[in-house]
Amino acid sequence: MNVLVCGGAGYIGSHTVYELIEQGHSVVVADNLVKGHREAVHKDAKFYEGDLRDAEFLDRVFGENKIDAVIDFAAFSLVGESVTEPLKYFDNNVYGTIRLLEAMNRAGVKKIVFSSTAATYGEPENIPIVESDTTVPTNPYGESKLTVEKILKWSDNAYGIKYVALRYFNAAGAHISGEIGEDHSPESHLIPIILQAALGKREKIAIFGDDYPTPDGTCVRDYIHVTDLADAHIKAIEKLFRDNTSSVYNLGNGTGFSVKEVVEEARRVTGREIKAVIEGRRAGDPSTLIASSEKAIKELGWQPRFNTLSRIIETAWKWHSTHPNGY
Ligand code: UDP
């Protein structure tokens, strides 16, 4: 299959490109490199630098390649920034995908896997969260992704573009080869920050709140390995070709770990001192997010393989300890 990966130079996108190529697919990557890294793009992928909001650029990509399906990762993803700069998020994440869908229509490409998020749920009404639970995002990032899910539904209805939206919980870890990994600037995610502290690049890690209604008072999250996420995208494409129906899936391990537990496990894996101090809560953080991924397991035949916190942190450590300054 020939797959166009938008945002294929980013964290989850680059790992998906590696899995696609490993499984024998041809890959075209489109990325504007605003957040992505050219070095993260697999050498066997065909690379185009450009922006999804640029219709001419997209027509060139679709015109020069016979694309069977699209995977769309191209988006901004910082929750805090989305609160202060919502228009930037709606412009890139929503308008960019509208342009992509228009270009797909012009090119007659009718299958897309979309990168969505647990942030579509907002404060969860049940744990574990199932796909039919209420979606009331508490920040513009989650709202932008939920908006695209709705646009996809109506584009299916009108144009027959079939989609799978994948709602990730906390993506973490790095490729087992150590060649690619997580490199955000600025970094805001827990595991990279902890490992930067382990490397001495930060003096300490701040734990945002220890007064949540959780067993140790710190927030609980469902960490899912980036290669397991990558694998789910390929299974989602296979499903689209198998039954040509649209759907939405949660992707997580179904197990929650508190911030303190993650710090403790990172100390064990790295054998390093990691200084942690308790600070105030971060605005907009739900206390507990844990996925039910039963639907993905059943319908996609997906099964997370790096399904322990230690495996996740070990692979992240392999990347961070060999690339202390990122790419
Ligand atoms: N967190 C923290 N200190 C940090 C970064 C994150 O205590 O320096 C907490 C954050 O409040 C959340 C969890 O770690 O409860 C995971 O945060 P992250 O930003 O990695 O992912 P999110 O859950 O926001 O998508």
Side-chain angles (χ1 to χ4, degrees), residues 66-223:
K66 166 90 194 68
I67 301 296
D68 299 305
V70 175
I71 308 181
D72 181 22
F73 295 98
F76 292 138
S77 62
L78 297 179
V79 167
E81 185 186 60
S82 80
V83 176
T84 50
E85 296 187 68
L87 300 182
K88 175 177 163 179
Y89 274 68
F90 288 111
D91 179 49
N92 192 34
N93 298 6
V94 179
Y95 184 57
T97 311
I98 291 174
R99 292 266 102 135
L100 173 63
L101 291 166
E102 287 169 349
M104 286 173 65
N105 249 341
R106 287 194 293 276
V109 178
K110 299 285 183 185
K111 290 178 175 55
I112 181 167
V113 178
F114 176 66
S115 172
S116 190
T117 169
T120 52
Y121 294 106
E123 190 63 49
E125 53 182 7
N126 301 304
I127 296 292
I129 300 171
V130 294
E131 291 81 354
S132 54
D133 283 349
T134 312
T135 45
V136 187
T138 50
N139 55 65
Y141 167 64
E143 194 80 74
S144 72
K145 291 288 181 177
L146 185 61
T147 303
V148 172
E149 286 192 14
K150 291 175 181 173
I151 290 169
L152 287 168
K153 188 184 95 178
W154 292 108
S155 295
D156 177 357
N157 183 60
Y159 318 120
I161 294 179
K162 300 296 171 186
Y163 68 92
V164 171
L166 298 175
R167 293 177 178 163
Y168 319 143
F169 282 63
N170 287 60
H175 195 265
I176 195 162
S177 66
E179 284 173 28
I180 53 171
E182 191 166 9
D183 178 7
H184 297 114
S185 166
E187 189 51 75
S188 68
H189 294 105
L190 181 65
I191 291 176
I193 286 179
I194 292 174
L195 297 181
Q196 286 172 355
L199 285 167
K201 295 190 68 70
R202 288 173 191 261
E203 190 221 327
K204 58 181 179 356
I205 137 104
I207 295 177
F208 298 145
D210 68 348
D211 57 350
Y212 285 95
T214 59
D216 66 18
T218 64
C219 288
V220 170
R221 294 288 181 274
D222 183 340
Y223 295 89

Side-chain angles (χ1 to χ4, degrees), residues 6 43 71 77 81 88 136 138 183 211 224 233 239-240 255 259 266 309 317 326:
C6 302
K43 63 175 177 29
I71 308 181
S77 62
E81 185 186 60
K88 175 177 163 179
V136 187
T138 50
D183 178 7
D211 57 350
I224 177 78
H233 292 75
K239 179 184 181 290
L240 285 171
T255 313
V259 176
L309 186 59
W317 181 235

Side-chain angles (χ1 to χ4, degrees), residues 220-251:
V220 170
R221 294 288 181 274
D222 183 340
Y223 295 89
I224 177 78
H225 196 278
V226 64
T227 299
D228 287 327
L229 291 180
D231 185 44
H233 292 75
I234 300 170
K235 293 198 155 53
I237 293 183
E238 289 166 358
K239 179 184 181 290
L240 285 171
F241 278 94
R242 197 166 56 237
D243 66 12
N244 206 38
T245 55
S246 297
S247 26
V248 179
Y249 298 103
N250 287 341
L251 297 177

